Amino acid sequence: MIRQSLRHKLLGVIAMVMLPAMLVSIGTVVAYDLHVYQQTLRDDMRTQAELLGHMCAPALTFDDQRLAQENLSLLRLRPKVNAGALYNARGALFARYAAPDQKPVIPSSAGQPGFQFQEGKMLLFQPIYDNGELIGTVYLRADYEMMDRFIDYMMIGVLAALLAMLSAWLVGRRLNEVITRPILNVAHVAREVVATGDVSRRAERFGDDEVAELAESFNKMLSDIESRKRELENSNREIAREAEQRSFAQQEVMRLNAELEQRVHERTIQLELANSELAMAMQEAKSANQAKSAFLSSMSHELRTPLNAILGFAQILTSDKLPSTLAQKKEFANHILKSGRHLLALINEILDLAKIESGAVALSMEPVALADILQECETMMAPLAGQRGTRLLFPAGVTVNVTADRTRLKQVLLNLLSNAIKYNRDGGAVVVDCTAGTAGTLRLSVQDTGMGLTAEQVRMLFQPFNRLGQESGAEEGTGIGLVVTKRLVELMGGSIGVSSSPGVGSVFWIDLNTTLPVPSPAEGLPPLPELPYRMRDNITVLYVEDNPANLKLVQEIISFRPELRLLTAPDGQLGLALARSHLPDLILMDINLPGIGGMEALRLLRADPRTAHIPVIALTANAMPRDVERGIAAGFFRYLIKPINIEEFTEAINSTITWLAERAQPVDGGQQGGNK
């Protein structure tokens, strides 16, 4: 490799000296020749144009086209000129000439005087003057072989470069014997000495010049190294024999010590890790017990607070020793109703939190149209916002779909909106916004104009039963809603956060994954058979319920509606019998019934042609989202949850009656009531 490298370098030096000089020389000659060629062609065409102009001046003066054409025909003696033309003083074409083998492309009018280059041709427009007066213009077109000549010169240059390289190779080959061979010989011996360690090798001497002296000095250096190496090896052998005997015992002791230290170190690390894990486990257990105790204590307090009001006011109402006026009774009843609703909300949220923490909650993750959810939330929150004078601002034109559980997502948004309205200032606003996040996510934010939160309050925000000092405030709350909200958002694969400024307001946001929309299911309930009768003024309602207290409550509510007639059944079997015999206009059905359950009773009603058209409203304590979805899917017309909300119950009855009236078909006069 070294021999080839030196030879190549020598050849490269020669080539680098010869090639630039040759290229400069050839380039100078080529440039000069091309310049002379162009100038000669210009002069020749200009001379030809002037000569042709003098010859054709009389023809132009006397308008003799025949003479002009004969003069132009003389251009055939110039094979390089393949076209020509004469133009009169106005620039109009007067006579023209084209070589037999050329396409006759002649400009229709005279161009600007001077030379032009077009498609490998040189064009010339030369004015003709007679006594200082312009009488016409001569046009000539000739072959412009500049590129051909340049290519020829390039081929000559390449051939010359090849010859130069060959000459450099021949010269370098000769110089290799004189210059590089002695140096390569010394390098070869040095490489073998380094590779094998054999310092007995010697370099061959060529001639008597400096390179030969270098080889001689190198050989003397190898001789000195060889003698010193021999002496050093003898000395090392003696030292090694003595040291080997002394070091064997030391090495054995050191080995045993190292093994012992390694074992002690490993056992120490294992013990430290075990102690650390035990301490962490004890701390986690202690923290869990403390959190559990705090949670149970807070839950007991929160449950007893509304119960105290319910039981206290109920005792006053039922006591003969504590007489009260009608206004006081109404006030006490309102307190009981308010505390009962608060207790129900608290129980629902505790159950939600318990299911989430135990991992028992099941989510139905699917593409959810965010616009529908926002519209439903706006409709539900508008009355509360109107009562408090708070403006609700929702985004328009939302077309994004997110991956979530529809019911749980609605629950999350309603919780955030409810808090934003309750803890807002008078005449404030709540702004809902949607912005695209990163990596296929969407940020949904709820901003209020309330009093805001401090950094310490934000840190404690998602702790159970922690209302951040609002326990004694006018607003009711459980302190669990945000904890449930956070857990639900995380179960749906999202995240929740908050930013707040005291005195300005707060912004709660959730990030959810976006997805492609899917065809939305058909809205409304599955069609029921057409009613074969016109609605009457008296409406028969059948209520199937096994709990006497619930039966009594519905009877009292129905008693305020004289147009409604109530039938009751304590179990599913009797309910089916009454439905088939009386054919009521609508049915209220509990689901957890003795004997035949509500789901099975609904299936049997739908299978019977006599009762298939009767709308059935579920009225049950099965309040979980999955229960509601299964009930609607089974065919219930509406799904109402206990405890009964009288306004919601009345609205369900009224909407069902309206729906029945719209679907009623006119029949003959004598068959309105009895022939159902």
Side-chain angles (χ1 to χ4, degrees):
M1 293 300 294
I2 296 178
R3 181 186 302 274
Q4 293 178 358
S5 176
L6 288 175
R7 283 160 53 183
H8 289 164
K9 288 180 181 179
L10 184 61
L11 178 61
V13 169
I14 298 173
M16 292 298 293
V17 172
M18 296 179 61
L19 283 177
M22 181 190 67
L23 292 176
V24 170
S25 301
I26 294 176
T28 303
V29 172
V30 170
Y32 176 76
D33 182 84
L34 293 177
H35 175 72
V36 170
Y37 168 75
Q38 184 179 19
Q39 191 62 38
T40 302
L41 183 60
R42 284 172 174 264
D43 294 341
D44 184 58
M45 288 188 67
R46 190 178 289 111
T47 302
Q48 186 67 31
E50 291 179 356
L51 179 61
L52 189 61
H54 286 301
M55 294 174 59
C56 296
L60 291 169
T61 302
F62 296 102
D63 197 19
D64 189 350
Q65 292 186 348
R66 183 186 60 78
L67 179 60
Q69 190 66 41
E70 290 178 356
N71 291 333
L72 285 175
S73 299
L74 295 176
L75 292 175
R76 67 181 180 275
L77 302 177
R78 303 296 301 270
K80 296 294 183 181
V81 179
N82 48 52
L86 282 175
Y87 301 89
N88 56 24
R90 297 186 304 276
L93 182 63
F94 186 75
R96 64 181 181 176
Y97 161 78
D101 57 343
Q102 297 291 326
K103 184 179 180 180
V105 180
I106 307 297
S108 60
S109 60
Q112 293 294 328
F115 289 94
Q116 301 177 14
F117 299 93
Q118 191 176 82
E119 299 179 355
K121 306 293 182 182
M122 179 178 284
L123 312 180
L124 173 63
F125 287 96
Q126 180 73 34
I128 304 174
Y129 293 94
D130 187 11
N131 295 326
E133 179 182 0
L134 178 66
I135 63 174
T137 302
V138 176
Y139 164 74
L140 294 177
R141 186 180 70 182
D143 292 333
Y144 186 60
E145 300 175 344
M146 180 71 76
M147 183 56 66
D148 296 337
R149 295 174 70 89
F150 179 75
I151 293 174
D152 293 341
Y153 284 131
M154 288 296 295
M155 295 178 63
I156 294 173
V158 171
L159 181 60
L162 294 176
L163 292 175
M165 292 299 296
L166 179 61
S167 301
W169 181 76
L170 294 175
V171 172
R173 186 174 181 182
R174 177 57 183 164
L175 291 178
N176 174 59
E177 297 295 330
V178 179
I179 298 175
T180 63
R181 184 179 179 186
I183 298 175
L184 292 176
N185 180 61
V186 174
H188 176 70
V189 174
R191 185 169 62 252
E192 288 187 348
V193 170
V194 172
T196 63
D198 183 9
V199 294
S200 63
R201 299 293 303 274
R202 298 294 181 266
E204 185 179 359
R205 178 169 179 167
F206 297 91
D208 295 322
D209 54 5
E210 291 83 355
V211 178
E213 292 180 0
L214 174 63
E216 185 65 26
S217 300
F218 180 71
N219 290 335
K220 290 180 179 180
M221 180 183 67
L222 290 178
S223 298
D224 293 340
I225 292 174
E226 183 179 11
S227 61
R228 292 182 181 182
K229 179 181 179 182
R230 193 179 302 113
E231 294 175 358
L232 182 60
E233 288 177 350
N234 293 333
S235 176
N236 287 339
R237 275 192 215 97
E238 294 295 330
I239 295 174
R241 280 196 300 268
E242 295 175 359
E244 183 178 0
Q245 297 175 356
R246 292 194 302 266
S247 64
F248 179 77
Q250 295 178 355
Q251 291 177 359
E252 187 66 19
V253 172
M254 292 176 62
R255 183 183 66 80
L256 294 175
N257 288 336
E259 290 181 358
L260 180 60
E261 290 178 359
Q262 180 66 23
R263 291 178 182 178
V264 172
H265 180 67
E266 291 177 355
R267 296 295 173 84
T268 303
I269 292 177
Q270 292 175 0
L271 183 59
E272 290 177 352
L273 290 175
N275 290 336
S276 177
E277 292 176 358
L278 180 60
M280 291 177 61
M282 293 178 62
Q283 182 62 33
E284 291 177 358
K286 183 178 179 181
S287 300
N289 287 332
Q290 291 176 350
K292 181 179 179 181
S293 299
F295 178 82
L296 292 175
S297 176
S298 299
M299 184 175 68
S300 175
H301 174 269
E302 294 296 331
L303 289 174
R304 289 178 181 276
T305 299
L307 278 175
N308 179 62
I310 293 172
L311 296 176
F313 285 112
Q315 291 178 62
I316 295 175
L317 290 175
T318 58
S319 175
D320 296 332
K321 298 179 180 180
L322 298 173
S324 57
T325 64
L326 180 61
Q328 288 177 326
K329 292 181 184 295
K330 186 175 181 180
E331 180 184 356
F332 296 159
N334 285 334
H335 285 308
I336 293 174
L337 179 61
K338 184 178 180 181
S339 298
R341 288 175 176 171
H342 176 69
L343 182 60
L344 176 62
L346 181 61
I347 292 173
N348 287 336
E349 290 184 353
I350 291 175
L351 291 176
D352 274 347
L353 182 59
K355 289 187 64 176
I356 292 172
E357 294 295 345
S358 64
V361 64
L363 299 181
S364 175
M365 302 298 289
E366 58 186 1
V368 177
L370 196 56
D372 297 340
I373 296 293
L374 293 178
Q375 179 64 40
E376 294 176 13
C377 292
E378 182 177 10
T379 302
M380 297 179 67
M381 288 290 104
L384 178 61
Q387 293 174 5
R388 299 172 179 266
T390 303
R391 292 176 295 132
L392 286 179
L393 302 176
F394 279 74
V398 178
T399 59
V400 183
N401 289 262
V402 296
T403 302
D405 183 296
R406 179 183 178 86
T407 303
R408 294 300 187 178
L409 177 58
K410 184 177 177 181
Q411 178 182 350
V412 167
L413 293 179
L414 289 177
N415 194 311
L416 295 180
L417 289 169
S418 176
N419 288 345
I421 295 172
K422 288 195 300 183
Y423 300 111
N424 214 320
R425 65 183 66 189
D426 294 338
V430 175
V431 181
V432 181
D433 191 22
C434 299
T435 56
T438 58
T441 62
L442 175 80
R443 171 159 293 187
L444 183 60
S445 60
V446 178
Q447 180 179 2
D448 62 61
T449 56
M451 299 307 296
L453 302 171
T454 64
E456 181 65 18
Q457 288 176 320
V458 171
R459 187 181 64 82
M460 299 185 300
L461 191 61
F462 296 102
Q463 296 179 2
F465 297 110
N466 192 338
R467 297 189 61 203
L468 307 180
Q470 296 293 329
E471 292 81 1
S472 59
E475 298 296 339
E476 292 185 354
T478 63
I480 305 179
L482 283 179
V483 181
V484 174
T485 296
K486 182 175 185 297
R487 301 290 197 277
L488 289 176
V489 171
E490 292 172 350
L491 286 176
M492 290 188 290
S495 59
I496 186 171
V498 59
S499 60
S500 184
S501 300
V504 178
S506 304
V507 180
F508 285 82
W509 51 262
I510 59 175
D511 287 341
L512 295 172
N513 295 322
T514 59
T515 185
L516 295 177
V518 297
S520 59
E523 296 183 355
L525 296 170
L528 295 176
E530 295 292 336
L531 294 180
Y533 59 94
R534 183 186 302 276
M535 289 301 299
R536 300 161 297 163
D537 293 335
N538 58 329
I539 308 299
T540 301
V541 179
L542 171 61
Y543 183 25
V544 185
E545 171 64 68
D546 62 329
N547 188 296
N550 292 335
L551 279 173
K552 180 63 176 175
L553 176 60
V554 172
Q555 286 174 347
E556 292 297 329
I557 297 173
I558 295 296
S559 66
F560 292 97
R561 302 285 298 273
E563 76 278 11
L564 301 181
R565 183 170 68 94
L566 182 64
L567 300 175
T568 61
D571 55 57
Q573 188 67 41
L574 182 57
L576 288 174
L578 290 177
R580 290 164 180 165
S581 61
H582 290 273
L583 296 180
D585 296 294
L586 67 94
I587 300 174
L588 302 175
M589 180 75 70
D590 187 18
I591 291 181
N592 297 317
L593 293 170
I596 299 178
M599 290 289 188
E600 179 64 15
L602 176 64
R603 187 187 66 81
L604 295 174
L605 288 172
R606 288 286 178 263
D608 192 337
R610 296 173 296 171
T611 58
H613 64 279
I614 302 176
V616 181
I617 299 177
L619 186 57
T620 176
N622 293 356
M624 295 301 168
R626 294 278 73 81
D627 298 330
V628 177
E629 293 178 2
R630 284 195 295 268
I632 296 298
F636 282 108
F637 188 79
R638 293 285 295 271
Y639 197 98
L640 303 181
I641 298 172
K642 299 175 184 176
I644 295 176
N645 184 311
I646 296 179
E647 294 182 358
E648 183 182 5
F649 177 82
T650 303
E651 185 276 331
I653 295 294
N654 291 339
S655 63
T656 306
I657 293 175
T658 302
W659 181 80
L660 288 171
E662 292 175 353
R663 293 176 59 86
Q665 298 296 323
V667 296
D668 294 338
Q671 299 180 347
Q672 291 186 3
N675 298 331
K676 292 191 289 185

